[in-house]
């Protein structure tokens, strides 16, 4: 059943998810970016704000309407909640060990873009985890660095959502054309007494989402990326990228599927207490490839090659899928404006 919710209906959905014990996380405007945080009602959503993105560039901008999901990916992703940047694991005091890992809250994610829905699926596959309740916001306005259509991850929501919304703001009002993707989603739409969409409303929403595929800011080259990366281990192009790459690791931090971690032990000054902590790690850190005797990827060229080869190539061998969903975050948040689609295209045409 395709249904239609208005803003009050969306507010009631948030309220019901909270009432049933979920921590609802959604987009909020904070510190000059559209980021993700707990939301209590529609009043917390970034109504009327969009974003402008390009390589090395991200700015929020006022929209001409009051859309609440009218923005592409921001600096945080749902990874920050499913796989937090820092996590305490075990503590010991006077030789006694105890687990201090905190259980994950019962999340409901609101306003998940289709690229990020695909990323949640990939991350949960890697972590062996279950996805939370997901309210997807299908894409009608791709951003300047978006390329999910060429990765097969958008602009329509793929599997894994409980409810998928297409936001529409026009002379007929502000509303959300909603489809259920699970029994729980269907139950909630029913409980909200959402009115059924007319066939014309449902068709218009589908057509708007389909049109977005032709308005992505960029695209991956149409080649077998796994084969491309495997054939280019010795390409001189890695050195070309290394002359621009700062090895800052921003791309891996913002990427919604990068999952690498390291473990650190911290002891008190007196030595009687200790804590083991997990934190995100990046393949751009020299120590990331430290084996006996030292790091095996000391050059920036080797580290960039590792990132792109794993993301687009060997991820297929490990997990049967690409590690990239085309969200464009690594392009927008790279201080050097390095663009994975441009680097893949350069490899595809044999550029040095
Ligand atoms: S590609 Fe960009 S974001 Fe990634 S490490 Fe290099 S400079 Fe930093
Ligand atoms: S590699 Fe870049 S575009 Fe692909 S999923 Fe990661 S951040 Fe998004």
């Amino acid at each position: 059943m395709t249904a239609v919710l208005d803003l009050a209906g969306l507010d009631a959905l948030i309220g019901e998810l909270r009432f049933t014990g979920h921590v609802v996380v959604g987009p909020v405007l904070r510190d000059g970016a559209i980021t993700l945080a707990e939301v209590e009602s529609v009043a917390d959503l970034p109504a009327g704000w969009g974003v402008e993105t390009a390589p090395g560039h991200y700015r929020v901008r006022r929209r001409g309407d009051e859309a609440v999901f009218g923005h592409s990916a921001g600096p945080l992703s749902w990874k920050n909640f499913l796989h937090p940047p820092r996590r305490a694991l075990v503590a010991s005091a006077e030789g006694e060990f105890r687990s201090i890992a905190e259980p994950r809250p019962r999340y409901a994610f609101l306003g998940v873009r289709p690229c990020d829905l695909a990323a949640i699926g990939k991350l949960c596959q890697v972590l062996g985890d279950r996805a939370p309740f997901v309210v997807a916001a299908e894409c009608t306005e791709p951003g300047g660095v978006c390329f999910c259509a060429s990765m097969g991850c958008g602009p329509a929501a793929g599997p894994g959502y409980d409810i998928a919304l297409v936001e529409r703001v026009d002379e007929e009002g502000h509303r959300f054309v909603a489809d259920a993707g699970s029994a729980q989603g269907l139950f909630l739409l029913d409980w909200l007494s959402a009115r059924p969409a007319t066939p014309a409303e449902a068709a218009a929403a589908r057509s708007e989402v389909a049109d977005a595929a032709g308005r992505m800011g960029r695209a991956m080259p149409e080649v077998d990326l796994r084969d491309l990366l495997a054939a280019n281990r010795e390409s001189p192009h890695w050195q070309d990228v290394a002359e621009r790459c700062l090895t800052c690791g921003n791309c891996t931090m913002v990427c919604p599927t990068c999952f690498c971690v390291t473990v650190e032990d911290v002891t008190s000054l007196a030595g009687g207490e200790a804590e083991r902590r997990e934190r995100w790690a990046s393949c751009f850190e020299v120590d990331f490839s430290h084996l006996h005797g030292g790091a095996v990827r000391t050059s920036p060229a080797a580290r960039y090659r590792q990132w792109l080869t794993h993301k687009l190539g060997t991820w297929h061998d490990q997990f049967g899928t690409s590690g990239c969903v085309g969200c464009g975050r690594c392009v927008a948040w790279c201080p050097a404006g390095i663009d994975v689609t441009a680097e893949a295209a350069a490899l595809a045409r044999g550029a040095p």
Side-chain angles (χ1 to χ4, degrees):
M1 174 193 86
T2 301
V4 179
L5 292 174
D6 57 12
L7 266 182
L10 183 63
D11 202 42
L13 174 61
I14 296 171
E16 180 59 14
L17 287 168
R18 286 170 56 76
F19 180 73
T20 50
H22 295 86
V23 173
V24 181
V25 179
V28 298
L29 180 66
R30 192 166 288 172
D31 300 330
I34 295 178
T35 180
L36 300 171
E38 183 172 358
V39 295
E40 296 183 357
S41 72
V42 287
D44 293 330
L45 300 175
W49 288 96
V51 297
E52 176 189 289
T53 56
H57 178 89
Y58 176 99
R59 292 286 182 280
V60 291
R61 62 168 175 83
R62 283 305 297 186
R63 294 175 55 87
D65 61 28
E66 290 298 300
V68 294
F69 300 128
H71 51 265
S72 52
L76 291 198
S77 74
W78 308 94
K79 173 177 86 171
N80 290 64
F81 299 88
L82 294 172
H83 182 48
R86 285 181 192 79
R87 207 160 63 99
L89 300 174
V90 177
S92 85
E94 309 303 337
E96 293 284 322
F97 285 87
R98 68 194 160 83
S99 169
I100 50 171
E102 293 197 357
R104 192 170 82 196
R106 189 173 174 219
Y107 284 126
F109 292 166
L110 175 70
V112 176
R113 319 297 299 182
C115 56
D116 279 344
L117 178 64
I120 289 170
K122 290 174 194 286
L123 199 58
C124 287
Q125 179 193 0
V126 171
L127 302 175
D129 216 342
R130 285 188 57 194
F133 190 91
V134 170
V135 181
E138 298 195 78
C139 186
T140 53
E141 276 189 36
V145 295
C146 293
F147 59 97
C148 68
S150 60
M151 298 307 296
C153 297
Y161 64 83
D162 293 280
I163 296 175
L165 305 174
V166 180
E167 184 173 27
R168 310 212 67 202
V169 191
D170 54 27
E171 59 287 348
E172 289 173 35
H174 191 168
R175 61 212 184 281
F176 304 87
V177 179
D179 276 299
S182 70
Q184 204 182 350
L186 189 60
F187 174 83
L188 271 172
L189 287 182
D190 200 38
W191 181 85
L192 290 165
S193 303
R195 75 164 171 85
T198 64
E201 278 175 316
R206 297 295 358 128
S207 149
E208 207 171 331
V209 171
D211 285 353
R215 287 185 273 113
M216 302 264 151
R218 48 222 338 104
M220 267 293 175
E222 290 181 21
V223 297
D224 184 316
L225 292 168
R226 180 175 171 274
D227 288 352
L228 178 72
L229 273 298
N232 277 282
R233 288 197 186 99
E234 305 305 327
S235 167
H237 188 66
W238 301 120
Q239 189 51 40
D240 178 89
V241 189
E243 280 160 23
R244 291 170 278 137
C245 175
L246 310 172
T247 65
C248 64
N250 265 16
C251 46
T252 55
M253 298 295 115
V254 296
C255 180
T257 63
C258 274
F259 56 82
C260 289
V261 291
T262 190
V263 169
E264 293 172 337
D265 291 334
V266 183
T267 52
S268 63
L269 279 179
E273 292 169 12
E275 204 172 285
R276 174 159 288 184
R277 300 171 186 163
E278 178 188 275
R279 69 160 173 84
W280 288 354
S282 168
C283 49
F284 283 93
E285 296 167 26
V286 175
D287 283 353
F288 184 83
S289 66
H290 188 101
L291 299 176
H292 58 86
V296 297
R297 287 193 287 271
T298 53
S299 72
R303 302 210 286 283
Y304 188 85
R305 177 179 64 179
Q306 164 65 23
W307 142 255
L308 204 66
T309 301
H310 186 220
K311 189 75 20 191
L312 302 179
T314 50
W315 197 296
H316 284 277
D317 303 311
Q318 270 183 298
F319 305 114
T321 174
S322 172
C324 176
V325 298
C327 70
R329 285 184 178 89
C330 59
V331 184
W333 295 93
C334 171
I338 294 171
D339 172 351
V340 282
T341 65
E343 304 313 331
L347 289 172
R349 64 173 184 271

